[in-house]
């Protein structure tokens, strides 16, 4: 397809338009808009983790903290300081970058489970600080976030109802998809993959693994923070429940369910999971149970994701080289 | 501040940290597995004991062994689920799978036990020992004694018994152990069952100190992780010492500075250690010493 850039572009544009009209095609009720907006926000959040998990091959458990950082920064700037949503957006990105820089430097020399443990502990510490520091609202959180109002020159846009949120969430999702696709083709994305798959080769090519890891971390954190920024407005409230493991497991499952390093994978995975939660909910505990079961089931039955099943059938022939755990996850 | 009392508190909390961590220490040393469901398994142990006591009227002394049994079964179930991933040493996927397992436990516990805080009551909690300056409950004495027994027992099994030798061999090189004719899967089963049983045992002894909620697992696991890392990954003796030191540290930190930021300060301590001694985070060498 890459030989016909115009055709490819038209295809992507048609798909993007179809995606935008999707809530209307599904009936256009407030519940449908709300669900799809939430799917867009949470899959944007998952993409932040996706590039760490799929490209760098590490499991960051601090991405709920980046997500929450974005939400808290927006809430504090808009509610406590009366700033605009744009300032909230900038604050969310800057705060997430600052946190990612600190965490990135701390975890620079840790690998594998040590990295995961330290990022997990960091998320718990962030939650503790949010619950105890009055500046961050303490255990009550921050309430009364106004409807999202975006002003661009003479054009202004206010989103209060679910249907009005959808365009913003959808644009955010498209932007994140674009960033992730660009990242995968960028020099940094290639370097991340090489550091992950073959650290010795990367070292011989003159790549500084620690620097690559830090840079990928810095790209990834604002993505999750952007999602947090919009989520704060959608829910009109931020609190320590943003750090809940449910969000963490949701992100991980979203990334793994379809298969790693698939551009639309996290979107597909998140849509499936939230579709269940919003249309066939079993209550908060039942949904947590379903989520955990899906995650364990996928990892035990087809660790390379659902897409690998489809591919195996589509291309009969010699098996892919079976490194332990597969070439992507090893 | 009553220094002697804080010292006693620190020793008690330290033994609690060490006992909660002992199963994970073995799991990490022998199977290279980081169990992020550990905190939820702790929660499960406490709630199973609570449920047995409140629903069936069993005494505390009978609920403890039953909760330990349930914990061992949970550990064994986990091993059956993750056997393929463990044998192929697919560490990244294993770690995520344990998070999912924890999520399952938390959801199931919420459905079964509800969202209210509960209290696991031990008759020993009401008995106060000691004088005016330093006092503790009989439950605390039991906790400290049981921790010492568990650590000595584990040390003896690993160093002196044939089974311990098998565990050390599997830890060193699973394929080589299999080539030698050792059946690796039962050894893993025993390690996982020990992890489940040990954390449930710890929960039944530690949980009477505070109210329990089905959501306590998320935070609970952090202290365990710090104990395991500070003790030298997989080192049984090291995690006992680390637990004790960490207990003293948190006791004095909450008394002198602020109880709310204890977890944050422990995290800061961990980072200092990581910067000063980065080699501590490499999983190697120290197992079973």
């Amino acid at each position: 397809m890459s030989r016909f850039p115009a055709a490819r572009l038209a295809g992507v544009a048609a798909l993007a338009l179809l995606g935008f009209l999707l809530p209307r095609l599904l009936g256009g009720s407030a519940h449908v808009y709300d669900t799809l907006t939430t799917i867009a926000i949470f899959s944007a959040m998952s993409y932040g983790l996706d590039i760490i998990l799929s490209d760098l091959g590490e499991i960051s458990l601090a991405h709920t903290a980046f997500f929450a950082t974005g939400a808290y920064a927006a809430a504090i700037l808009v509610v406590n300081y009366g700033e605009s949503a744009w300032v909230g957006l900038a604050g969310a990105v800057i705060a997430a970058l600052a946190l990612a820089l600190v965490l990135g430097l701390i975890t620079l020399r840790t690998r594998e489970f040590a990295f995961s443990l330290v990022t997990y502990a960091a998320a718990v510490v962030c939650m503790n600080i949010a619950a105890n520091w009055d500046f961050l609202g303490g255990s009550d959180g921050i309430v009364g976030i106004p409807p999202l109002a975006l002003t661009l020159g003479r054009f202004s846009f206010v989103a209060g109802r679910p249907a009005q949120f959808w365009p913003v969430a959808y644009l955010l999702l498209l932007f994140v998809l674009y960033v992730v696709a660009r990242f995968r083709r960028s020099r940094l994305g290639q370097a991340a993959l090489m550091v992950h798959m073959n650290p010795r080769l990367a070292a011989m090519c003159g790549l500084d693994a620690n620097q690559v890891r830090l840079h990928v971390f810095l790209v990834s954190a604002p993505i999750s923070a952007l999602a947090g920024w919009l989520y704060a407005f959608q829910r009109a409230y931020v609190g320590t429940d943003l750090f809940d493991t449910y969000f963490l497991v949701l992100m991980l499952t979203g990334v793994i369910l379809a298969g790693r390093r698939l551009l639309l994978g996290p979107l597909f995975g998140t849509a499936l999971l939230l579709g269940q939660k919003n249309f066939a909910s079993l209550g908060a505990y039942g949904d947590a149970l379903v989520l955990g079961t899906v995650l364990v089931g996928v990892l035990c039955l087809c660790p390379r994701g659902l897409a690998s099943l489809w591919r195996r059938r589509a291309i009969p022939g010699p098996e892919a080289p079976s490194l332990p755990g597969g070439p992507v996850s090893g | 501040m009553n220094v002697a009392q804080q010292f006693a508190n620190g020793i008690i909390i330290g033994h609690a940290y060490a006992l909660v961590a002992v199963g994970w220490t073995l799991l990490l040393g022998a199977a290279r597995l980081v169990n992020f469901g550990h905190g939820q398994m702790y929660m499960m142990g406490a709630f199973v004991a609570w449920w047995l006591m409140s629903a069936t009227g069993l005494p505390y002394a009978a609920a403890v062994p039953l909760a330990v049994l349930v914990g061992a079964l949970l550990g064994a179930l986990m091993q059956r689920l993750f056997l393929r991933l463990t044998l192929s040493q697919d560490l990244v996927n294993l770690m995520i799978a344990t998070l999912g397992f924890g999520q399952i436990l938390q959801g199931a516990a919420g459905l079964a036990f509800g969202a209210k805080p509960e209290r696991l009551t031990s008759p020993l909690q009401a008995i106060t020992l000691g004088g005016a300056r330093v006092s503790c409950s009989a439950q605390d004495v039991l906790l400290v004694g049981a921790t010492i027994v568990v650590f000595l027992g584990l040390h003896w099994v690993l160093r002196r018994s044939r089974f311990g030798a098998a565990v050390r061999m599997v830890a060193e090189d699973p394929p080589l152990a299999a080539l030698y004719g050792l059946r690796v899967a039962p050894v893993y089963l025993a390690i996982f069952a020990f992890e489940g049983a040990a954390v449930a045992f710890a929960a039944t002894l530690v949980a009477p100190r505070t109210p329990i909620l089905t959501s306590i697992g998320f935070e609970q696991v952090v202290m365990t992780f710090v104990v395991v890392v500070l003790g030298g990954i997989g080192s049984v003796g090291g995690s006992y010492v680390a637990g004790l030191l960490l207990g003293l540290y948190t006791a004095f930190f909450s008394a002198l500075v602020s109880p709310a930021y204890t977890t944050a300060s422990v995290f800061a301590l961990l980072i200092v250690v990581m910067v000063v001694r980065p080699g501590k985070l490499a999983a190697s060498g120290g197992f079973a010493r």
Side-chain angles (χ1 to χ4, degrees):
Chain A
M1 262 219 308
S2 56
R3 262 191 278 165
F4 304 102
R8 187 194 161 99
L9 200 64
V12 169
L15 203 63
L17 188 67
L18 188 71
F20 181 72
L21 297 175
L22 193 61
R24 207 163 298 173
L25 297 175
L26 289 175
S29 69
H31 190 50
V32 165
Y33 270 106
D34 212 30
T35 302
L36 289 180
T37 304
T38 312
I39 288 173
I41 291 174
F42 284 152
S43 42
M45 167 181 85
S46 305
Y47 277 106
L49 182 67
D50 184 32
I51 63 173
I52 301 279
L53 187 65
S54 306
D55 297 74
L56 211 53
E58 298 279 9
I59 308 167
S60 159
L61 302 176
H63 272 64
T64 41
F66 297 136
F67 178 69
T69 300
Y72 269 100
I76 289 169
L77 285 167
V78 172
V79 175
N80 295 357
Y81 293 95
E83 297 287 351
S84 73
W86 288 121
V87 176
L89 180 71
V93 170
I94 292 168
L97 279 175
L99 182 63
L101 185 66
V102 172
L103 271 182
L105 288 173
I106 289 173
T107 57
L108 204 55
R109 282 185 294 183
T110 56
R111 297 285 185 276
E112 286 185 355
F113 66 81
F115 177 82
S116 303
L117 287 171
V118 175
T119 48
Y120 184 98
V124 174
V125 168
C126 288
M127 184 187 78
N128 258 303
I129 293 173
N132 287 303
W133 193 13
D134 290 335
F135 176 69
L136 297 176
S139 52
D140 298 334
I142 297 171
V143 290
I145 299 171
L148 177 68
L150 293 169
T151 314
L152 205 63
R154 286 167 51 212
F155 174 76
S156 96
F157 174 87
V158 179
R161 288 183 292 113
Q164 294 168 320
F165 253 104
W166 169 246
V168 186
Y170 189 67
L171 274 180
L172 180 79
L173 177 64
L174 286 185
F175 172 71
V176 167
L177 280 172
Y178 172 76
V179 169
V180 172
R182 274 298 299 265
F183 167 80
R184 295 236 157 102
R185 271 188 273 162
S186 72
R187 194 181 279 255
L188 179 62
Q190 305 283 337
L193 203 57
M194 203 196 286
V195 166
H196 167 203
M197 306 294 285
N198 195 339
R200 289 184 57 201
L201 180 64
M204 281 189 275
C205 293
L207 284 171
D208 179 354
N210 286 345
Q211 196 185 9
V212 169
R213 291 163 61 91
L214 186 61
H215 286 174
V216 175
F217 217 58
L218 289 175
V219 172
S220 133
I223 295 178
S224 291
L226 280 178
W229 166 78
L230 192 57
Y231 190 58
F233 287 102
Q234 192 205 15
R235 217 173 50 150
Y237 158 74
V238 296
T240 48
D241 58 328
L242 289 174
F243 293 95
D244 201 289
T245 31
Y246 181 83
F247 292 115
L248 181 63
V249 180
L250 179 70
M251 266 192 262
L252 282 166
T253 314
V255 172
I256 285 164
L257 186 55
R260 276 159 251 194
R261 270 186 75 75
L262 292 173
L263 183 59
L264 295 180
L267 174 59
F268 176 77
T270 313
L272 272 184
L273 293 167
L274 289 178
Q276 178 269 322
K277 187 176 154 71
N278 282 24
F279 290 109
S281 177
L282 304 169
Y285 294 121
D287 291 344
L289 191 64
V290 168
L291 183 60
T293 310
V294 169
L295 181 56
V296 172
V298 169
L299 286 170
C300 290
L301 299 175
C302 57
R304 279 191 262 165
L306 296 179
S308 68
L309 297 176
W310 179 72
R311 254 189 235 155
R312 204 176 299 161
R313 220 173 338 143
I315 314 164
E319 279 281 303
S322 56
L323 294 168
V328 187
S329 56
Chain B
M1 184 185 68
N2 183 342
V3 176
Q5 181 64 54
Q6 289 309 331
F7 197 75
N9 289 352
I11 286 177
I12 294 160
I13 303 170
H15 280 80
Y17 290 155
L19 187 59
V20 173
V22 69
W24 197 8
T25 305
L26 184 68
L27 195 63
L28 186 58
R32 299 262 182 280
L33 176 58
V34 173
N35 181 12
F36 280 105
H38 187 85
Q40 279 82 11
M41 288 171 88
Y42 170 91
M43 174 277 293
M44 212 56 174
F47 265 96
V48 166
W50 167 81
W51 181 84
L52 284 170
M53 289 175 71
S54 63
T56 66
L58 277 176
Y60 176 73
V64 170
L66 285 174
V68 171
L69 187 68
V70 172
L73 288 176
L74 269 182
L77 172 72
M78 194 168 163
Q79 192 269 347
R80 293 311 304 169
L81 280 174
F82 299 160
L83 182 63
R84 222 175 70 183
L85 293 172
T86 317
L87 291 180
S88 65
Q89 289 284 296
D90 188 350
L91 298 176
V92 171
N93 282 338
L94 258 176
M95 241 190 300
I96 309 175
T98 61
L99 265 173
F101 191 73
Q103 190 73 21
I104 292 177
L105 289 184
Q106 192 163 336
L111 286 177
F113 307 124
K116 285 203 316 280
E118 305 290 353
R119 207 163 244 290
L120 177 64
T121 44
S122 157
L124 298 177
Q125 191 69 28
I127 304 170
T128 309
L129 305 173
R133 273 186 56 73
V134 183
S135 66
C136 64
S137 71
Q139 180 74 18
D140 297 335
V141 176
L142 174 70
L143 169 65
V144 171
T147 306
I148 293 170
V149 169
V150 167
F151 270 89
L152 286 178
L154 182 63
H155 182 79
W156 185 85
V157 167
L158 283 176
R159 302 308 303 179
R160 296 272 181 273
S161 72
R162 272 193 79 76
F163 182 72
V167 172
R168 282 185 284 139
M169 192 161 178
V170 169
E172 204 62 51
D173 194 338
L176 188 66
L179 274 179
Y180 176 72
L182 195 73
R183 285 173 60 220
V184 174
V187 176
Y188 275 128
L189 189 67
I191 294 167
F192 275 76
F194 176 76
E195 147 79 343
V199 74
F201 182 56
T204 56
L205 292 188
V206 178
R209 296 169 58 88
T210 49
I212 48 174
L213 273 164
T214 52
S215 58
I216 52 177
F218 179 53
E219 275 199 71
Q220 183 64 44
V221 75
V222 171
M223 287 299 178
T224 304
F225 149 48
V226 177
V227 168
V228 170
V229 170
L230 293 188
I233 284 169
S235 157
V236 173
S239 61
Y240 178 77
V241 175
L244 198 56
L245 291 178
L246 193 67
L248 289 169
Y249 174 80
T250 53
F252 281 97
F253 184 89
S254 5
L256 291 171
V257 189
S258 142
Y261 290 107
T262 308
T263 315
S265 83
V266 168
F267 183 66
L269 185 74
L270 173 76
I271 288 158
V272 170
V273 172
M274 276 168 49
V275 172
V276 178
R277 299 275 313 268
K280 284 243 174 191
L281 281 169
S284 65
F287 176 60
R289 293 208 179 96

